Amino acid sequence: MDLADVARNFEDAANRRNTVRLRERGWLPRLTGYAGWGSVHAAKVLARATMADPNDAQPFELPFLPKSMHSLTSPQVRGLAKLATQNAEKAQRGWRQFFTTQVGFLPVTVQLGDRTIATRTDRSGYVDLLIEDHGLPPGWHEATLTPAAGEAITAPVMIVSDHATTGLVSDIDDTIVVTWLPRAMLAAYNSFVLHTDMRQPVPGMAEFYHNLLDPSPDAPVFYLSTGAWNVYSTMLSFIQHNELPIGPMLLTDWGPTPTGLFRSGQEHKKTQLRNLLIMFPNISWYLIGDDGQHDPLIYDELARAHPRRVRGIALRTLNPVQQVLSHGTPEATAGDREDCDIEDGGVPIIRGEDGYALLRKIRRFR
């Protein structure tokens, strides 16, 4: 038995003990629905089951569905101030998000459109279900998830039109929110200590994204990050509060895997990008990230392999101090090739220190 097996067994045993202890205190399984996504042919429904005190309010989640693929209606925009106030009241020290007891192998019935499917959560408490032939038209819809124990919930699901030809994938850390990951001390402070309503946005990114998407109202938006699903509600609130485009998040889980003690952030991003290419064969993507970690390498690889599927790459450039704090050297993460090599394949690249700088160069994407 290797170290990863030992870690998984320890995690499972601790979780079983906590589940029994919490049930004795009257706690019940509670599903948290995440924004799902898919085409008119098949869609993913995502959720997680954790133990929760029935006297506690439901966590802050998406309280409405956008009218268009990524924009809010005028009443919804006016409601953002109210939502910000509500979220401030619910704000808590970030570390509380990570201390959860997941409910593995919980029977759950999922209903989406014309389909109703019985399934179970996995060992980490997740529902990650692909539903085919759901019969739903493009737009935002709701799936209903009913656990064997606990209350039913709804989860938003974004159905993308077959006619959509443009999409946007955005990194989160140091791209839309100032975190400077993976600096151990400040990252831990941001994630475990800082109140969830105090994270700072990167200036101008909301304006940059909306300008990119204005010509394509049916374009889907995805937020791709190596962050844990535990911060989903926090990041959803951040996206809404800072008027960024609404879209599903593609996050990951911490802890041991079948092949090692830790999950590979690079492989997570590569896998999710490949999934998007497969699910949406007609879409060419804007890829947005920063040059402090692996985004240039990952986007370069995708553009080299599928140049017609990448509409453009935009990278936020960190200054030398931020680069040192991000990965230990004052230089940006090197790519496999020069930018001009990718551009020769028809994939334009722009760089800037924030969204406003990128916005000034947006004409290269037109």
Side-chain angles (χ1 to χ4, degrees):
M1 181 178 294
D2 59 24
L3 190 57
D5 292 328
V6 173
R8 283 196 303 275
N9 291 339
F10 176 81
E11 180 185 44
D12 290 343
N15 192 71
R16 286 193 296 270
R17 289 194 299 270
N18 286 337
T19 299
V20 172
R21 178 176 56 84
L22 293 173
R23 281 176 176 165
E24 292 174 347
R25 292 171 55 185
W27 287 33
L28 296 171
R30 174 182 289 170
L31 289 172
T32 298
Y34 306 131
W37 53 275
S39 69
V40 295
H41 311 287
K44 277 180 168 286
V45 175
L46 304 169
R48 193 184 195 193
T50 56
M51 296 298 291
D53 185 342
N55 296 318
D56 286 346
Q58 285 282 349
F60 180 85
E61 300 296 350
L62 190 66
F64 46 67
L65 301 181
K67 182 177 180 180
S68 70
M69 192 58 65
H70 51 76
S71 300
L72 305 178
T73 63
S74 296
Q76 290 169 344
V77 172
R78 290 195 297 269
L80 284 172
K82 180 179 179 181
L83 293 173
T85 301
Q86 292 172 344
N87 192 56
E89 293 172 353
K90 294 180 181 180
Q92 57 184 0
R93 291 290 181 185
W95 60 267
R96 294 181 184 175
Q97 305 169 93
F98 293 88
F99 289 86
T100 58
T101 299
Q102 64 266 25
V103 184
F105 312 109
L106 175 71
V108 178
T109 301
V110 181
Q111 187 271 324
L112 178 67
D114 297 334
R115 300 294 306 278
T116 300
I117 297 177
T119 185
R120 291 177 180 269
T121 60
D122 66 13
R123 61 178 292 273
S124 297
Y126 290 102
V127 173
D128 185 348
L129 183 64
L130 181 68
I131 299 180
E132 299 179 318
D133 302 321
H134 49 70
L136 294 173
W140 283 91
H141 302 274
E142 287 184 337
T144 300
L145 297 92
T146 306
E151 298 181 357
I153 65 159
T154 59
V157 179
M158 181 183 70
I159 304 299
V160 180
S161 170
D162 281 347
H163 301 294
T165 59
T166 299
L168 186 149
V169 176
S170 170
D171 180 38
I172 293 179
D173 301 317
D174 282 328
T175 299
I176 64 170
V177 60
V178 178
T179 52
W180 292 354
L181 289 170
R183 295 175 299 160
M185 294 183 64
L186 186 55
Y189 175 77
N190 279 336
S191 296
F192 296 105
V193 180
L194 193 66
H195 275 84
T196 56
D197 60 343
M198 293 176 61
R199 288 167 173 80
Q200 297 300 311
V202 174
M205 294 305 289
E207 291 85 346
F208 175 56
Y209 286 6
H210 285 296
N211 193 292
L212 270 180
L213 296 168
D214 278 346
S216 307
D218 59 352
V221 176
F222 290 88
Y223 292 94
L224 175 59
S225 173
T226 57
W229 281 107
N230 303 65
V231 301
Y232 173 85
S233 295
T234 298
M235 291 315 306
L236 176 59
S237 173
F238 174 89
I239 289 168
Q240 290 178 316
H241 179 64
N242 291 284
E243 300 186 33
L244 286 150
I246 300 297
M249 281 175 267
L250 307 175
L251 306 177
T252 186
D253 193 22
W254 290 2
T257 73
T259 57
L261 281 175
F262 302 102
R263 300 178 189 276
S264 168
Q266 290 190 62
E267 285 306 313
H268 165 70
K269 287 191 171 184
K270 291 177 181 179
T271 298
Q272 294 298 336
L273 287 170
R274 287 194 296 267
N275 289 342
L276 293 178
L277 294 188
I278 294 169
M279 179 69 80
F280 307 114
N282 299 325
I283 291 181
S284 180
W285 298 90
Y286 291 117
L287 305 178
I288 319 296
D290 65 85
D291 66 355
Q293 283 292 310
H294 302 293
D295 290 344
L297 294 169
I298 295 169
Y299 294 167
D300 173 273
E301 181 179 305
L302 191 70
R304 186 176 348 117
H306 306 280
R308 295 186 179 181
R309 304 297 306 280
V310 180
R311 188 173 294 273
I313 297 173
L315 295 171
R316 179 185 172 228
T317 54
L318 306 186
N319 63 43
V321 173
Q322 293 170 331
Q323 294 286 357
V324 170
L325 294 173
S326 179
H327 57 83
T329 69
E331 301 297 329
T333 301
D336 289 339
R337 307 186 302 176
E338 297 293 334
D339 287 355
C340 60
D341 293 331
I342 307 175
E343 291 174 328
D344 288 342
V347 180
I349 301 176
I350 59 175
R351 297 172 183 262
E353 65 273 13
D354 57 25
Y356 296 120
L358 294 171
L359 189 57
R360 291 192 292 269
K361 301 177 181 180
I362 202 172
R363 64 184 183 276
R364 296 194 63 192
F365 283 170
R366 302 306 189 195

